[in-house]
Amino acid sequence: MKISARPLLDNPVDAELFVGRQSELTAIWGGLNAELNVLVTGDRGVGRTSLLRQLQLDSRAPLSGARREGDFPMSFVRVEGISDGRDMLARIVEQVTGEPTVDSDGPDVLLRQLSDFRLQFIDDTLRRWAAESDDGTTPTGTRLYPVIIVDDVTASAGHALFGRYRDEVWATGYLWTVSVRESDRQGLMTPPADAFFEKVVDVAPLSTAESIEFINRRGGIDMESIADTLTGAVGGNPRDLVGALRGLLQDPGSYENNARAIGARDDAIFELGRPASMLAAEMKARGPVSASDYELLRALGWTRPRAVQVFKQLYEKGLVRSSEVSSGQGRPRRVYELTPPAEWLRTEHADPEAQK
């Protein structure tokens, strides 16, 4: 039984759990074959990381399918939570080159390190190929396309690197495959960064048939009889499906009650109107957020007072709960998260007299 929520890795064992996504893989390879940079977008938990790990695994296989030609050595860099473009670039340089960076090095120095490493890598690889060949020459027609995969880029860091330093990043000679949450897509793709990504691949939820296959592979048994129930309750988001499967296997009664509670809570949010539904959708994708979060406000197109107003509306109905989070200096931030469905339902149906 494989009901861990962790992303899949680029190995044959995890590849057995990988479901669907052939159209997305074909689209990414189409971009790379054409020597284009690719942006991969999708909601939180939809499987962008697992998709990119499968891409890595495919890159090491013999030429077949959507990968038409050449050699695509890939470096994988996860940058979740990094909001500064220079800090993200430093992480990329360290992961790709295997060498530490210096805090005082600016983007120009870091990009030069990346470019120099690529040239040395290509030279070393061509020498190795020649040494391994029968006649001491490089295989005819074989071309190298080093690829840097950057996973879970924030809008602010992504726009700083691929916008402000767009031409300098292009000049490093790498192909780039970058993933971003759908909620951050617009911020990252603000000009001039939009021109850097000439191929955009959207990762949608799994189809019903793919969800059934996903549940069967993760459960290790034939679960088709309950797969429709699971998919109907949470949709085709792989992370949500894993959580639903785990809950069902551990406590079937509790899971069924929770599924009903999810529906009831979502109905209550919907009744408050479109702004409440928009904010709730962002909270589902982002987790705990503050009314001052820049990325949240940009995604919604709201001002802070507008966000405070809608948070209050949800809070008064018990649909969100709040807490204070200290980040060291300054006053603690007030953050909000959706009230767990079962907790909200208990409160909603509680006897008002008993709560006094």
Side-chain angles (χ1 to χ4, degrees), residues 30-93:
L32 295 177
N33 283 321
E35 300 183 48
L36 303 178
N37 298 314
V38 181
L39 184 70
V40 178
T41 73
D43 291 330
R44 181 174 179 269
V46 80
R48 286 175 289 116
T49 301
S50 296
L51 171 67
L52 295 177
R53 289 297 194 182
Q54 184 65 35
L55 180 73
Q56 270 191 296
L57 189 63
D58 287 354
S59 74
R60 300 196 294 268
L63 286 176
S64 62
R67 178 174 153 228
R68 294 196 301 269
E69 62 174 31
D71 197 283
F72 293 83
M74 296 183 174
S75 301
F76 187 97
V77 188
R78 187 161 177 81
V79 295
E80 180 182 16
I82 299 178
S83 58
D84 180 80
R86 185 267 167 205
D87 292 345
M88 183 176 73
L89 178 57
R91 170 75 64 83
I92 293 169
V93 172

Side-chain angles (χ1 to χ4, degrees), residues 124-184:
D124 291 344
T125 303
L126 293 177
R127 290 176 184 274
R128 176 173 57 80
W129 284 354
E132 293 173 352
S133 67
D134 294 334
D135 58 3
T137 61
T138 301
T140 303
T142 302
R143 299 183 63 190
L144 267 176
Y145 304 91
V147 178
I148 298 178
I149 299 173
V150 192
D151 187 33
D152 222 356
V153 172
T154 62
S156 55
H159 187 263
L161 180 59
F162 301 112
R164 181 178 179 185
Y165 287 93
R166 182 193 66 186
D167 294 346
E168 290 85 349
V169 175
W170 251 323
T172 61
Y174 291 90
L175 292 176
W176 297 76
T177 299
V178 174
S179 90
V180 64
R181 295 182 185 182
E182 183 60 34
S183 56
D184 282 344

Side-chain angles (χ1 to χ4, degrees), residues 208-209 211-217 219 221-233 245 248-249 252 255-256:
T208 299
S211 297
I212 292 173
E213 183 181 356
F214 180 94
I215 292 166
N216 285 336
R217 292 196 189 189
I221 55 177
D222 184 1
M223 305 191 72
E224 190 163 346
S225 59
I226 62 171
D228 284 341
T229 301
L230 291 174
T231 303
L245 177 59
L248 179 63
L249 294 175
Y255 169 76
E256 292 172 4

Side-chain angles (χ1 to χ4, degrees), residues 19-33:
V19 173
R21 306 302 188 207
Q22 292 309 305
S23 62
E24 289 91 340
L25 284 169
T26 298
I28 295 172
W29 276 120
L32 295 177
N33 283 321

Side-chain angles (χ1 to χ4, degrees), residues 324-334:
E324 290 190 340
V325 176
S326 176
S327 57
Q329 299 179 345
R331 298 175 58 185
R333 283 193 319 147
R334 179 161 296 280

